[in-house]
Amino acid sequence: MTEIDPELKAGYRLMPRFVIGSRNVKLFRRLVGPMVKLTGKPDLGGLAVGEIPVPGTDRTMVTVRRATSTELAPVLFWIHGGGYVMGSNETEHRWGARFCRDIDCAFVAPGYRLAPEHPFPAGLDDLRAAITWVLDHGAAHGLDPTRIVVAGESAGGGLAAALVQRLHDEGVSLGGQLLVYPMLDDRTAVRADVELKEHLAWSNASNHFGWTSYLGTEPGGDTTPDYAVPARRSDLTGLPPAWIGVGDLDLFHDENLEYARRLEEAGVPVTLETAEGAPHGFPFMAEEAAISQRFLTSAVDFTARTFAD
């Protein structure tokens, strides 16, 4: 097994080993914000940060963009992670700052309901409502509805993949999908061979709880509802170009590479970025590390190219 990249070691050495479950999920929800702050406060100078309510729901969209931008901006529709059971769009400014400093775009991060209180399809429905608002009303707020990349990190990457599949079936055209170590396949949660490995930041025990909470049933069953588990979709033809990035020490490494392979087999252009010696959630554990910079630059470059096409 690959050793962790030397520049990442310090951050993960301080990270406590934990398993998310029914008894502590509410505690971890309260801790997510402070834990994110430990990775450093993003520089938002020169960027405008705001919130847009989504009509008809109690959800909001956090926005980041250049304060001086006056043109309709392409949209990076960013979905936060948290194993489907925790996380918040209010902690995503570091991602928004990274993209908006390099690209004149709008970073739009919607909120969504969390499992287990709100299992599938509640969160996906919230995201569908949010992106519908961007498509129908975004232009009045400086957002270009014709240039959208749907993106997300971890469970947010899984939701991004699911939302892209759903929108494709509904006839909605998107520029691309940016999947950052996405949580795509419930079958990983019941892989016996995975249990033998220690995965930093997100273990398979936590993964099992996340999928059980989201699906409302034991993961790894014979069937799942459409759009609940992106990796279970049989036909991937016609989906928009994809960027998939993952570390080789990440629990989701195998399922991410398999999804990339199947997309390519279906004729979908794929940019696959693998980071040797990187566990889950690494880019902002040591943002200035060479491995993090390569990873983030690749994601930004894909997004810029997609907006330019």
Side-chain angles (χ1 to χ4, degrees):
M1 190 173 185
T2 308
E3 291 290 325
I4 189 170
D5 184 276
E7 292 187 277
L8 300 178
K9 278 187 176 180
Y12 283 95
R13 188 180 297 119
L14 297 174
M15 178 177 287
R17 305 293 190 264
F18 57 85
V19 173
I20 305 295
S22 58
R23 295 184 178 182
N24 63 11
V25 65
K26 292 183 179 179
L27 170 63
F28 274 97
R29 287 176 184 169
R30 293 194 296 270
L31 293 176
V32 165
M35 289 171 67
V36 168
K37 290 178 181 177
L38 288 176
T39 64
K41 186 177 181 180
D43 178 10
L44 295 172
L47 299 175
V49 180
E51 285 194 9
I52 301 172
V54 180
T57 77
D58 62 353
R59 307 292 107 186
T60 62
M61 292 183 287
V62 171
T63 62
V64 179
R65 65 176 303 182
R66 292 184 187 175
T68 56
S69 180
T70 57
E71 301 293 327
L72 283 183
V75 177
L76 184 65
F77 188 86
W78 179 268
I79 304 170
H80 73 79
Y84 298 111
V85 297
M86 58 186 184
S88 167
N89 59 336
E90 296 179 357
T91 63
E92 302 305 284
H93 297 86
R94 57 188 181 167
W95 287 101
R98 178 65 194 226
F99 281 92
C100 292
R101 291 214 175 282
D102 292 347
I103 311 171
D104 189 5
C105 69
F107 177 91
V108 178
Y112 59 89
R113 285 171 289 175
L114 300 173
E117 295 89 343
H118 304 286
F120 175 84
L124 189 62
D125 286 346
D126 290 342
L127 297 168
R128 182 65 181 89
I131 202 166
T132 296
W133 183 93
V134 173
L135 290 164
D136 293 346
H137 306 289
H141 294 261
L143 309 177
D144 187 347
T146 69
R147 292 187 292 165
I148 298 176
V149 170
V150 174
E153 174 192 26
S154 193
L159 284 164
L163 182 61
V164 164
Q165 293 176 1
R166 179 172 169 180
L167 292 170
H168 169 75
D169 292 348
E170 294 172 357
V172 178
S173 179
L174 296 167
Q177 51 185 321
L178 182 86
L179 311 180
V180 182
Y181 32 84
M183 185 174 172
L184 297 169
D185 197 338
D186 67 310
R187 293 167 294 190
T188 298
V190 293
R191 278 180 55 184
D193 60 315
V194 171
E195 298 294 345
L196 300 177
K197 302 176 183 178
E198 180 182 21
H199 291 91
L200 298 173
W202 187 252
S203 68
N204 210 24
S206 296
N207 195 41
H208 189 280
F209 173 71
W211 277 115
T212 302
S213 300
Y214 185 60
L215 297 175
T217 188
E218 180 74 11
D222 291 339
T223 61
T224 55
D226 290 346
Y227 314 122
V229 183
R232 298 275 201 132
R233 182 182 175 98
S234 59
D235 184 6
L236 302 178
T237 57
L239 295 178
W243 182 96
I244 299 176
V246 66
D248 67 344
L249 300 183
D250 196 309
L251 172 65
F252 301 143
H253 175 264
D254 292 355
E255 65 185 64
N256 286 188
L257 266 59
E258 174 63 10
Y259 194 64
R261 184 196 66 78
R262 291 185 57 229
L263 283 170
E264 287 188 319
E265 193 174 71
V268 177
V270 176
T271 300
L272 178 63
E273 183 72 24
T274 55
E276 186 175 341
H280 193 68
F282 74 93
F284 289 100
M285 292 297 291
E287 185 178 357
E288 298 307 316
I291 190 172
S292 301
Q293 286 298 307
R294 285 193 299 270
F295 190 85
L296 292 167
T297 298
S298 176
V300 170
D301 287 350
F302 168 85
T303 306
R305 291 195 307 270
T306 304
F307 288 150
D309 288 344

